[in-house]
Amino acid sequence: MPLPTEPIGSIPRPAELLDAAPSELAAAQEKAVRDTIRRLEELGSPVVTDGEQSKPSFATYPIAGLDGLAPDGAVIPFADGHRRQLPRLTAGPFRYAARAEEYLRVARRHANVPVKQAVIAPSALSLLYPADGIDGYPRERFLADLADEAEADIRGCLDGGAHVVQLDFTEGRLSLKLDPSGGVLDDFVALNNSVLERFTPEERARIGVHTCPGGDQDSTHSLDVDYAGLLPKLFQLKAGNFYLQLASEPDPDKTLAVAAEHLPADARIFVGVTDPVDPRVETAEQVRDRVLAAARHLPVDRLGTCDDCGFSPFADDVSTSRETAFAKIGARLEGTALASARLGI
């Protein structure tokens, strides 16, 4: 079998979807999902996603429309100066307003190959809780409720037939920028593991974790943070797959060496071979060479490929065109096949 290759998640939404009136939104979303899956399958993708066509963002889908939120939550600054801001929780108990299995159900209706489902890591949603607390709803109770909701989100996707469930953990690298001591990262890893430990080893083999320095409007929030501080703790997460942004990394060999040293014995690394932030479309040969470089550090039987990040994690991000995203995915697929042939698999 050739090296496994998977998309990360989001694909830029078509203009028809972005411009849809409220009364037309549901139909436009399903049409965009159907078109996304069709195009991925036509490219030969062995695993597809719905491209997050129906999500407001990769992070906020569980809380869209939820009561008990204020707009002035945690701010995420990007290198180009723009910011994203999370809402702030104002009351408990915390419950998801939507679950990822709803997106999975629609995607599987249109897919002829396995479907991967991305979910937000509970550590990201822990940022909703305000630093000064909530009267009558202590942080410990919030975290317990959050863990229950995150477990249900993942389990619903596993039970719903997802090929794999991917936890988006972009806040991992960012946490080291906000707190270089690593204390926040330790808390994130502990919270995520409190959820992952509820699954059997067989279930965890179908759960992965994606990490990257963010990717929004062709900018990142933590590319300047050294991976060496993140990877040893990242690999403490009890997951079977790790999706590692690498194509945009300034020193990929250094990162691969650290990854090889700390990779858990039963895990697979999917290395990023296309950079959604770079408008240039990679060639298949560039992708091939990135895979072969990774194979010099990592066992081939524990290696796969992916895109560095989603192409449009926030629905309003149109910095990358839909055509460019599919061209990059095509290069990933072709380049992975070339590398597989070169490696004799």
Side-chain angles (χ1 to χ4, degrees), residues 12 27 67 106 113 138 189 225 231-232 248 266 286 304 321 329:
D67 292 332
V106 175
V113 298
V189 169
V225 174
L231 293 183
S248 58
D266 56 352
Q286 285 176 312
S321 73
I329 290 168

Side-chain angles (χ1 to χ4, degrees), residues 3 246-247 252-253 256 271-274 282-298 303-305 331-343:
L3 291 170
L246 195 64
D253 279 319
L256 286 163
V271 295
V273 292
T274 57
E282 293 82 357
T283 67
E285 291 74 21
Q286 285 176 312
V287 170
R288 175 202 63 198
D289 292 345
R290 288 170 178 172
V291 179
L292 296 177
R296 290 194 289 270
H297 294 269
L298 301 168
L303 180 62
T305 68
R332 168 171 53 81
L333 295 168
E334 185 179 352
T336 300
L338 292 175
S340 297
R342 182 71 66 86
L343 294 167

Side-chain angles (χ1 to χ4, degrees), residues 59-76:
T60 59
Y61 71 88
I63 57 173
L66 192 70
D67 292 332
L69 295 176
D72 56 342
V75 173
I76 302 171

